[in-house]
Amino acid sequence: TNGVITLDPGYKNTGSCQSAITFLDGEKGILRYRGYAIEELAEKADFLEVAYLLIFGELPNKEQLEKFHADIKSHSVVDDDVKKIIDAFPKSAHPMGVLSSLTSALTAFNPSSVNVDSEEEMYNAIVRILGKFPVLVAWTMRKKRGLPLEYGDDNLGYVENVLKMMFKSPNHDYVQNEVLVNALDKLLILHADHEQNCSTSTVRITGSSHAGLFVSLSAGISALWGPLHGGANQAVLEMLEAIKEDGGDTKKYMAKAKDKNDPFRLMGFGHRVYKNFDPRAKIIKVAADEVLSDLGVEDPILDIAKGLEKEALEDQYFVDRKLYPNVDFYSGIIYRAMGIPVEMFTVMFALGRLPGWIAQWREMRLRKEPIGRPRQLYTGETLRSFTPIEKR
Ligand code: SDX
């Protein structure tokens, strides 16, 4: 502190805003969306209902939900020129980079999504992106698999249609599988919002300059990509695979995670806010067992994950630092059982987080929050005069 500025790297002790959307209690491991417990919503609601709840503040009645879904479906076509942008990417492109580019590029085809000052204009931009984003998600996966960029079936539910667009292929049509639909619906609900995390803060600060909704979301997707944030769900599976290749030697990885000279961290563990179990991780761990047995999938990775969790929870280093499994620790095991490739895991996180980002952006704009512009403590040179190059 220099009397005026209080330094707080990573904003560990800074409240950036007041918000009525999501409540976390890190000590007790509590997560609520608009006052509803995540445990209840994961069991009783569906993803579109939760999206409506987060964005507008109340659970929708039947008419409201039907109108919301109809408005979204009326915008579920993506401009054909977007396919040319996707085609221009190398097949090796990471889907998160493709997704953030396409989300920003959508602005060019939806100019009305930029200057949104009225609630009406905001609503229009919101249903547009909720309609088009699942197509972008599915097309990034189809691009990776060399499948044609096609649509699903708008008569299906929101989540069913996402699965259809992701998995249908020329040589066999995708058959709806209730287990997969319910698993994805639950995962998307559990990822839907999480107050002022890194990517949501990025969406808010980008939107605070009154940049458009789509480009603010694109910035959030970029932030989510990092392995310390949403990218962790991919890093967890890569870590578990490495442990499996190593003969399941979790002790070696635990030692690496505690070695200050080793940058390796136990991916899927630890959290800035939760100093107790991440309530989402608890639900996903149970769901992983259910989904794998329902699908008849035997995955040794799940046993390695459980072994690693048990070891970490009994390890003093982890206990001292209150490191518990977070949302990313088990989610990838379900995505993999569903046939989703590992480089798509963080894209699935983004699909879930979309309504939360939208809700937080909308609250920030409706509350006319000031542009985000933190200060610093300057530690550089004091005043000095220019020296001509001949003298340097
Ligand atoms: C998400 O914020 C959100 O809400 C995010 C999220 C959401 O829904 O939006 O919940 C989603 O991003 C979950 C987190 C996914 N990331 C990972 O799983 C990556 C591994 N975890 C970490 O890198 C870390 O725990 C963070 C990034 C999650 C939190 O970092 P902090 O709060 O800045 O804590 P820190 O890095 O200061 O760590 C505190 C101590 C350090 O040790 P000391 O220097 O005190 O001795 O704990 C250690 C760290 O070295 N530590 C770990 C560790 N996480 C923290 N040591 C080994 N393995 C780990 N995973």
Side-chain angles (χ1 to χ4, degrees), residues 187-199:
L187 280 170
L188 296 179
I189 288 171
L190 291 168
H191 285 81
D193 193 49
H194 215 237
E195 59 134 273
Q196 306 311 316
N197 59 85
C198 177
S199 55

Side-chain angles (χ1 to χ4, degrees), residues 12 25 46 50 81 102 115 128 138 202 212 227 232 321-322 328 377 388 391:
K12 295 194 175 191
D25 179 318
D46 75 28
V50 169
D81 283 346
L102 295 180
N115 300 311
R128 277 171 185 271
T202 303
R321 291 166 180 78
K322 299 184 178 176
D328 292 314
L377 288 189
K391 295 209 166 78

